[in-house]
Amino acid sequence: MAANPALRDYLKTRRSVGSGFLGDPGPSSEELREILTIGTRVPDHGKFAPWRLVIFEGEGRNRAGEALAAIQKSRRPDLDEASLNIERRQFLPAPLTIGVIFSPRPNTKAPELEQLLSAGNVCFNLSHAAFALGFAASWTNRWYGWDPEAQTALGARGGERFVGFIHIGTPTAVIEDRERPALEDVVTRF
Ligand SMILES: Cc1cc2nc3c(=O)[nH]c(=O)nc-3n(C[C@H](O)[C@H](O)[C@H](O)COP(=O)(O)O)c2cc1C
């Protein structure tokens, strides 16, 4: 494979753009299909795709937010409107969010940890795909990525769990890079 300076530059400068800074336009349906195709092209020991994807777009974003607000309200009936609105807006303003569900299969050849890593690869590859098509993206889990009731409300089935929500759209602000770990701190030679 020939050196690819554009890809190299991208990998050296890529940084997340938070969902609050993602606006329209989002990917078209053809672009979404391409993002999904690239996103699911990941290493997968066992080759049984131990993951599923849930698309939140259009009105679905509001329905998902309402479901999260309803869960919080049922737990804390005194919750104020401002707090409920934060939940209602969990999938806004980003035009598209792809939820990645880890769906492990019992298998001795590819233990669960390896399957989980494959699901993590889907999350990051979806993000790369979004940037490759000219959009920006970020990966969050937030409370509903850990809460069993919320996970079920958003589409996880028994034995499954979300491992990431990849928010995708057009950046509405320039995001400063964050500090990166010094290689000396994280690399050793054997
Ligand atoms: C598994 C996972 C879960 C994350 N969950 C959250 C989250 O809930 N909220 C958040 O603001 N960022 C979350 N992040 C994103 C990162 O904290 C942050 O956006 C990232 O460090 C930015 O790095 P980058 O610019 O290299 O992409 C998560 C990242 C990962 C890998």
Side-chain angles (χ1 to χ4, degrees), residues 4 9-11 13 16 25 39 42 53 63 66 72 77 100 109-110 114 118 136 142 147-148 152 173 176 179:
N4 184 333
D9 282 351
Y10 161 72
L11 291 170
T13 57
S16 295
V42 294
L53 282 64
R63 278 192 288 109
E66 285 295 346
Q72 293 291 14
V100 178
K109 187 173 149 228
E114 294 184 354
S118 183
R142 302 214 177 118
D147 185 282
T152 302
E176 292 299 311
E179 209 173 314

Side-chain angles (χ1 to χ4, degrees), residues 86-105:
I86 290 173
E87 303 306 339
R88 292 187 180 111
R89 293 187 54 78
Q90 287 284 5
F91 293 87
L92 299 171
L96 169 70
T97 296
I98 304 172
V100 178
I101 290 176
F102 174 44
S103 187
R105 315 288 155 84

Side-chain angles (χ1 to χ4, degrees), residues 35-73:
I35 288 169
L36 295 169
T37 303
I38 295 171
T40 52
R41 190 181 180 89
V42 294
D44 172 12
H45 189 190
K47 302 178 188 65
F48 36 65
W51 22 261
R52 300 194 296 114
L53 282 64
V54 180
I55 292 160
F56 301 90
E57 60 181 352
E59 187 47 34
R61 298 172 302 162
N62 293 319
R63 278 192 288 109
E66 285 295 346
L68 297 178
I71 290 171
Q72 293 291 14
K73 181 87 181 161

